[in-house]
Amino acid sequence: MLLLAFDTAPPIITVAVHDGDRVVGQAAGEGAMAHGELLAPAIRDAVAQAGATMADLTDVAVGVGPGPFTGLRVGVVTALTLGSTLGLTTHGVCSLDIVAADVQVAGEFLVATDARRKEVYWARYGGDHVRLDGPHVAIPADLARQHPDLPTYGRGGQLYAEVLRSAGDASDPRAAALARIVVSGSARELPLEPLYLRRPDAVPQVLPKRA
């Protein structure tokens, strides 16, 4: 197996190559509105670091969100294209599950990421890292009232630490964690479709018809 994994839900894009035993190549790029320009070079660098070529890949895994419209579309379309053109086995995973995979805590916890508009995407997890509820989108104060005692991991918890019980350093979904849970068989896989949870920020303008 040679698995290519990436997530484009957060501002920071991460890419990893896993050979079935360990991560053998990694790359990253940062730019909230530049996912399309950053992903391809990061994939190229990670594959080269692994001492492989694109033709050597057997699988591709992608975080399907929730996240912003543009970033998710870039990642999912890239995974679908690679799967089709190279004949790769494809794997889709909730991006909140990827963050949860890096959490080291006993008992239940929350993962919250930045949903913009002063909201967070969130999900609740058990001590075995299995998702128990979500994903949802909510105002941080509402989430805090719903789960006042649970520690919150992820960028959303850090952004709204005055409301949520922010805990630990786990922030954005990492491609290395995505690769690890897919290879281990512990990932709860989803179709390769962007998980938006709400309508995109940008909508086409409707011009009035001329008489």
Side-chain angles (χ1 to χ4, degrees):
M1 165 183 274
L2 196 64
L3 168 75
L4 172 68
F6 48 85
D7 194 296
T8 58
I12 299 176
I13 294 172
T14 60
V15 180
V17 177
H18 199 293
D19 68 359
D21 293 319
R22 62 188 180 89
V23 172
V24 292
Q26 295 189 75
E30 183 170 2
M33 302 301 291
H35 293 76
E37 292 80 7
L38 295 171
L39 182 57
I43 290 174
R44 182 188 62 234
D45 292 347
V47 171
Q49 187 182 119
T53 68
M54 297 297 290
D56 297 321
L57 298 174
T58 61
D59 297 69
V60 59
V62 62
V64 297
F69 180 83
T70 302
L72 289 187
R73 182 175 56 185
V74 168
V76 170
V77 169
T78 299
L80 286 168
T81 301
L82 291 174
S84 176
T85 58
L86 299 177
L88 308 180
T89 301
T90 58
H91 311 267
V93 178
C94 174
S95 297
L96 301 178
D97 292 359
I98 303 170
V99 177
D102 275 334
V103 173
Q104 302 295 324
V105 65
E108 292 189 11
F109 62 93
L110 302 176
V111 168
T113 58
D114 183 17
R116 303 177 182 175
R117 305 183 191 176
K118 297 183 179 179
E119 294 177 325
V120 293
Y121 298 118
W122 71 273
R124 179 170 61 93
Y125 294 84
D128 52 4
H129 291 73
V130 172
R131 179 160 29 99
L132 303 175
D133 188 20
H136 304 293
V137 60
I139 296 170
D142 291 343
L143 176 57
R145 281 192 291 269
Q146 186 174 350
H147 297 291
D149 299 323
L150 295 184
T152 304
Y153 295 82
R155 185 181 290 265
Q158 295 171 349
L159 284 173
Y160 300 101
E162 74 283 0
V163 177
L164 300 171
R165 285 189 56 199
S166 180
D169 297 325
S171 180
D172 292 317
R174 296 187 313 115
L178 168 59
R180 185 179 74 248
I181 61 176
V182 169
V183 168
S184 71
S186 63
R188 181 177 176 180
E189 297 198 14
L190 299 171
L192 260 66
E193 299 174 356
L195 189 59
Y196 295 129
L197 297 189
R198 66 186 185 198
R199 297 174 62 85
D201 293 328
V203 295
Q205 290 185 332
V206 178
L207 300 177
K209 293 182 179 180
R210 293 186 178 183

